[in-house]
Amino acid sequence: MPPSRLDGLYRSLLLTKFFCKGWGKPENIERLFEFRKIISNRAACSQLIPRDYPVEITREEVTSDCKILEGKFITPLEIYMPGLVPDVAQNAHFQIVLPLKWNDERFKPMCIHLAGTGDHYFWKRRNLIVKPLLKEANLGAIILENPFYGLRKPKEQRASSLQNVSDIFVMGGCLVLETLVLLNWCERNGYGPLGITGLSMGGHMASLAATNWPKPLVLVPCLSWSTASPVFTEGVMSHSISWDVLETQYFADGNFRERLSKMVTVVDDAFVAGKHFVQNFDQSVEELRLDIDETKDLVCGQPTTDVNLSVIREATPERGDQQQDKEPLKSRIHINRTNALNLSEPLLEKLLSNVRCELTQEEVDELNVKIHLALKRHNEENHTGAGQPGEKLILTVATKPNPTEDPATAVVASSKSVGSKIMEYITWGAYSASSSSSTPGEKRVPIDTTKQRWWEREALQFMRGMMDECTHLKNFSVPYDTSLIIAVCAKDDAYIPRDGCTSLEDIWPGAEIRYLDAGHVSAYVLHQKLFRSCIIEAFERAKKKWVPENGTLRTEVNGGSTPTTDEPHK
């Protein structure tokens, strides 16, 4: 079904921009990538949090319908990754809502509620979902404040707009470890069975946290999916991201392209490409043909040290008949080692050499990006009237002009250096990209100099890789007992596109996925009761396995639970 128009309209009314300060420090991102390998493995992550991790209860209050406790503790991420968590966010603040009397003293269910985007402080979750659950099912709750939100929001941050992309990974790392602290605290104080839930971003954070609890755990993620990458690259949220800032920083700091981009993998890339090609076979073949045909505009000249992008202006009647017999007018945009195209020395030497050679993936990426940026500049100038209609950019190699010739009419001779090598690569690359025999790391994409839109830029692909690396559930352990998972998704969700992503059913065999005929916003507004009913149902399943005598859940593999592993998917 088509994405919800209401989702798009709602997002367009919000003026906030995300990631206005860029990606974050490269060294911090690298540290987070390395730490992800630890917290994505249940056996390793669960050992990071001592069972008696110190938690301080700072306030108690008894109201007419419940008992409310408030507390705090130092986020474990600051201990293991010092310097990453802002000072104001280092104290994890939480609120506990308990019934005045348990229906059964042997059965004291507790559910941790994580916040969705924009859910600051405790009041919204407490009134919309926690208190109704307390009344309907005698279900206790812990409401955890997100890092960068509410009491933990840096002063310079505006509302919910995280300033750096790395902030969302710091947030996720904090919540995963803080959830383990709270689950241990619940066990120490005799509560159980235990569970975790959340809406939207909170649902995905709940899913990540649940993968690291080494015991059966109720999990009800609502309005989330298997990875956060489509949220920031395809969904309506992607239009609220400062892409110009991210792209500028990505190309200005070589650490992103040279080091960090090699540390991430787009998990569903091959799946998406194959699915799209099969479903749109005729169109895919036509696009491939056009990609190859367009390389006829790539012409090369005699080997020299200067590479140029030239604007060829064909003579027209308006320019006068006296020009018809002359060479086409040339207006050169000089692209050499020191200015606009600014190719690296090794790549420039390869392109200018008469010896046939193969371009590496990094060189192909560099050439693709540099041509793209030059074409973008030219098209913007052409659009604003700086150029003439019908102009084409042609990649050439400049020759030294003959002193006897007029430089304005000097002809650029063609040869087989730059253009032929690019043409050879495009032809071979198009074949290898669709070949099933390509091995990981060797898959290459044809150069396409026509891509102008922001979502087709290299910075966006890096965003996909970062998000998949740190948030794709395939990179994390499978929850201990998937029969206690009920996920609720909106069919028309424009915030969280699901097309092309591995499904939760495939990643978590045994989990139940329920779909609403709604968009993201309408589901949040109209279906809170359904979310609560799914949480109650999941806890009822856990109750059947609950052993009051020793405060644990049975692991009934033959009774519907799915055997799981501490290892992430390979």
Side-chain angles (χ1 to χ4, degrees):
M1 297 181 70
S4 168
R5 291 185 179 181
L6 176 60
D7 289 354
L9 175 62
Y10 179 80
R11 183 61 244 180
S12 69
L13 297 176
L14 303 178
L15 302 178
T16 53
K17 281 280 188 179
F18 287 81
F19 313 138
C20 58
K21 289 190 176 180
W23 303 99
K25 295 181 180 179
E27 58 271 24
N28 289 346
I29 295 174
E30 187 169 2
R31 292 172 66 195
L32 287 165
F33 286 168
E34 292 296 333
F35 193 65
R36 195 281 300 168
K37 298 175 184 177
I38 298 174
I39 65 171
S40 62
N41 182 285
R42 180 164 54 243
C45 184
S46 60
Q47 296 300 313
L48 297 178
I49 309 301
R51 180 173 170 79
D52 58 351
Y53 192 93
V55 174
E56 179 185 0
I57 301 300
T58 59
R59 176 174 172 266
E60 295 188 23
E61 178 186 359
V62 178
T63 67
S64 60
D65 57 351
C66 64
K67 181 179 180 180
I68 299 177
L69 310 178
E70 290 187 3
K72 64 180 182 178
F73 57 90
I74 299 296
T75 180
L77 189 66
E78 174 60 22
I79 298 173
Y80 292 106
M81 304 287 284
L84 288 185
V85 186
D87 292 345
V88 70
Q90 290 178 11
N91 272 324
H93 297 272
F94 62 92
Q95 191 173 89
I96 303 173
V97 181
L98 300 172
L100 297 176
K101 182 179 180 182
W102 295 101
N103 294 339
D104 184 344
E105 286 295 325
R106 299 173 303 169
F107 181 72
K108 300 178 181 179
M110 288 285 285
C111 186
I112 298 174
H113 296 258
L114 299 186
T117 303
D119 189 352
H120 295 251
Y121 304 104
F122 309 120
W123 65 270
K124 186 183 294 184
R125 281 169 286 170
R126 184 178 65 241
N127 292 310
L128 285 181
I129 193 165
V130 168
K131 283 195 171 182
L133 282 172
L134 187 70
K135 182 178 180 181
E136 296 166 6
N138 202 229
L139 183 61
I142 298 179
I143 309 170
L144 177 61
E145 180 83 281
N146 273 14
F148 302 95
Y149 280 16
L151 297 170
R152 309 177 72 180
K153 184 177 78 69
K155 290 183 180 179
E156 62 274 16
Q157 178 184 303
R158 182 184 176 189
S160 309
S161 300
L162 301 184
Q163 299 178 89
N164 300 291
V165 177
S166 59
D167 290 346
I168 201 164
F169 305 135
V170 172
M171 178 190 287
C174 284
L175 290 174
V176 167
L177 298 179
E178 289 165 16
T179 299
L180 294 181
V181 171
L182 292 172
L183 291 171
N184 277 320
W185 181 89
C186 287
E187 280 200 337
R188 293 201 312 269
N189 286 273
Y191 298 110
L194 306 176
I196 183 170
T197 187
L199 296 176
S200 191
M201 180 182 72
H204 195 76
M205 294 296 184
S207 297
L208 295 176
T211 64
N212 288 303
W213 183 242
K215 302 173 185 178
L217 182 73
V218 167
L219 171 61
V220 184
C222 302
L223 308 181
S224 65
W225 198 235
S226 56
T227 174
S229 65
V231 175
F232 296 99
T233 60
E234 300 173 34
V236 294
M237 279 278 290
S238 63
H239 301 288
S240 301
I241 291 175
S242 301
W243 287 107
D244 289 343
V245 174
L246 294 177
E247 185 180 44
T248 300
Q249 190 181 87
Y250 181 82
F251 291 117
D253 190 336
N255 286 310
F256 292 100
R257 298 191 67 220
E258 295 166 11
R259 235 180 42 245
L260 296 178
S261 64
K262 297 175 177 61
M263 298 179 67
V264 301
T265 303
V266 178
V267 175
D268 294 316
D269 208 13
F271 171 72
V272 173
K275 182 177 179 181
H276 176 80
F277 192 87
V278 170
Q279 291 180 344
N280 305 277
F281 181 77
D282 292 338
Q283 181 182 350
S284 298
V285 172
E286 178 63 16
E287 289 175 355
L288 181 59
R289 184 190 67 77
L290 291 174
D291 283 342
I292 296 175
D293 286 348
E294 281 171 359
T295 61
K296 293 176 182 178
D297 285 340
L298 293 175
V299 183
C300 56
Q302 295 294 337
T304 142
T305 60
D306 203 12
V307 177
N308 300 276
L309 284 176
S310 299
V311 180
I312 308 301
R313 293 177 180 161
E314 300 293 345
T316 62
E318 289 77 6
R319 294 176 181 170
D321 295 336
Q322 68 274 16
Q323 294 186 1
Q324 295 297 315
D325 297 330
K326 295 182 179 181
E327 294 294 332
L329 296 178
K330 297 178 175 63
S331 175
R332 293 195 179 280
I333 305 172
H334 287 284
I335 311 296
N336 55 35
R337 292 173 179 170
T338 59
N339 49 44
L341 199 55
N342 196 25
L343 296 173
S344 62
E345 189 76 20
L347 175 57
L348 190 62
E349 294 300 328
K350 278 189 177 184
L351 293 177
L352 298 174
S353 170
N354 282 320
V355 180
R356 178 171 178 164
C357 53
E358 182 177 310
L359 301 182
T360 66
Q361 181 64 59
E362 290 76 14
E363 291 168 335
V364 170
D365 291 341
E366 178 186 352
L367 185 60
N368 188 20
V369 169
K370 297 298 176 59
I371 292 175
H372 160 75
L373 293 175
L375 284 172
K376 177 185 174 184
R377 285 193 297 272
H378 168 64
N379 286 347
E380 289 174 349
E381 292 172 359
N382 210 16
H383 181 72
T384 57
Q388 297 295 327
E391 290 177 354
K392 287 186 177 181
L393 279 176
I394 297 182
L395 186 65
T396 67
V397 178
T399 59
K400 295 180 180 179
N402 189 320
T404 62
E405 288 183 317
D406 180 356
T409 60
V411 179
V412 180
S414 63
S415 70
K416 293 192 65 178
S417 58
V418 180
S420 60
K421 288 177 182 176
I422 296 175
M423 180 63 180
E424 287 168 6
Y425 176 76
I426 291 176
T427 305
W428 178 82
Y431 166 77
S432 66
S434 60
S435 171
S436 60
S437 61
S438 298
T439 58
E442 295 181 352
K443 178 182 175 182
R444 301 190 177 185
V445 181
I447 296 174
D448 187 347
T449 60
T450 68
K451 303 302 183 187
Q452 301 294 319
R453 296 171 295 183
W454 63 262
W455 55 86
E456 293 172 313
R457 295 176 185 170
E458 186 176 348
L460 180 125
Q461 188 71 359
F462 180 56
M463 175 73 85
R464 288 184 64 201
M466 285 183 71
M467 290 295 166
D468 272 359
E469 181 68 26
C470 295
T471 72
H472 204 299
L473 296 176
K474 269 192 170 182
N475 288 335
F476 289 75
S477 301
V478 177
Y480 194 92
D481 185 353
T482 56
S483 71
L484 299 179
I485 299 173
I486 301 177
V488 185
C489 303
K491 288 183 179 179
D492 308 331
D493 200 324
Y495 274 83
I496 306 176
R498 296 186 305 278
D499 189 38
C501 299
T502 308
S503 69
L504 289 176
E505 294 98 330
D506 292 336
I507 300 175
W508 293 341
E512 182 179 352
I513 319 298
R514 298 178 182 178
Y515 296 91
L516 287 169
D517 285 320
H520 196 88
V521 174
S522 58
Y524 179 85
V525 173
L526 301 175
H527 295 285
Q528 291 285 336
K529 185 175 181 179
L530 175 64
F531 301 147
R532 297 198 303 269
S533 68
C534 290
I535 294 171
I536 293 171
E537 182 179 341
F539 270 93
E540 286 298 320
R541 293 180 186 178
K543 185 176 182 180
K544 295 177 181 178
K545 297 183 175 184
W546 182 247
V547 183
E549 291 76 16
N550 58 20
T552 63
L553 284 170
R554 302 186 192 93
T555 303
E556 299 176 353
V557 175
N558 295 326
S561 300
T562 302
T564 59
T565 175
D566 286 349
E567 294 296 324
H569 291 263
K570 300 297 183 184

